[in-house]
């Protein structure tokens, strides 16, 4: 599936894109509010300023993806692979990143208030100026 096909299907009312292959897709500024992208391959995808609030991205591959300024508030990214992803200035309020791989991810200036980062891998992640009040870091 390509980015254009996904957007057309989403606009037609479809929400379930489980295991979709969207590697390197250009989805900048796409509105995918509440989409189900469980185990989807979004490696290297361009998702800057995209709206993914409430989306289910559990076990998704977002390695090296560009999510700068994206709205991922209240999204589920449990066990997602976000190593080397760019999440700078992203809205991650209330996000579930339980057991997610955020190794070497750029989270500078991200809003992580009330985020669940329990058992997340944050090795070498860049967190400068990130807002983390109320975040679960156990």
């Amino acid at each position: 599936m390509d980015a254009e096909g996904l957007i057309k299907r989403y606009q037609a009312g479809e929400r379930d894109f489980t295991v979709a292959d969207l590697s390197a897709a250009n989805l900048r500024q796409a509105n995918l509010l509440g989409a189900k992208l469980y185990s989807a391959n979004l490696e290297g995808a361009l998702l800057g300023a995209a709206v993914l609030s409430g989306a289910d991205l559990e076990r998704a591959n977002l390695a090296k993806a560009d999510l700068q300024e994206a709205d991922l508030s209240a999204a589920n990214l449990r066990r997602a692979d976000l190593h080397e992803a760019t999440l700078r200035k992203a809205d991650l309020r209330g996000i579930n990143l339980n057991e997610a791989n955020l190794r070497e991810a750029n989270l500078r200036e991200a809003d992580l208030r009330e985020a669940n980062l329990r058992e997340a891998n944050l090795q070498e992640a860049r967190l400068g100026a990130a807002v983390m009040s109320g975040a679960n870091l156990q």
Side-chain angles (χ1 to χ4, degrees):
M1 176 185 317
D2 64 4
E4 186 178 321
L6 173 98
I7 291 169
K8 282 182 182 177
R9 288 168 59 181
Y10 182 89
Q11 290 172 341
E14 189 173 341
R15 296 294 180 265
D16 191 346
F17 304 102
T18 300
V19 274
D21 186 0
L22 294 156
S23 57
N26 185 349
L27 292 162
R28 288 187 195 278
Q29 299 180 336
N31 180 0
L32 298 170
L33 179 76
K36 184 174 182 179
L37 291 154
Y38 181 91
S39 290
N41 181 13
L42 291 150
E43 183 173 3
L46 305 175
L47 292 153
V51 177
L52 290 155
S53 181
D56 182 3
L57 289 147
E58 184 169 345
R59 295 182 182 265
N61 178 8
L62 290 150
K64 300 180 183 176
D66 178 3
L67 293 147
Q68 185 164 280
E69 297 182 11
D71 179 358
L72 289 150
S73 57
N76 178 22
L77 278 93
R78 185 171 190 258
R79 296 186 180 165
D81 185 358
L82 291 143
H83 82 271
E84 295 182 47
T86 300
L87 294 137
R88 187 170 186 186
K89 295 185 180 180
D91 183 351
L92 307 173
R93 289 173 296 150
I95 194 170
N96 181 7
L97 288 162
N98 185 19
E99 299 179 69
N101 180 10
L102 291 155
R103 186 181 179 117
E104 298 180 61
N106 182 352
L107 293 152
R108 290 182 185 178
E109 301 176 74
D111 188 346
L112 286 151
R113 285 178 285 173
E114 305 298 324
N116 178 4
L117 291 153
R118 188 179 176 118
E119 297 182 46
N121 180 355
L122 291 163
Q123 284 184 300
E124 300 178 56
R126 293 176 297 286
L127 293 159
V131 179
M132 300 185 73
S133 59
N136 180 353
L137 294 165
Q138 287 184 344

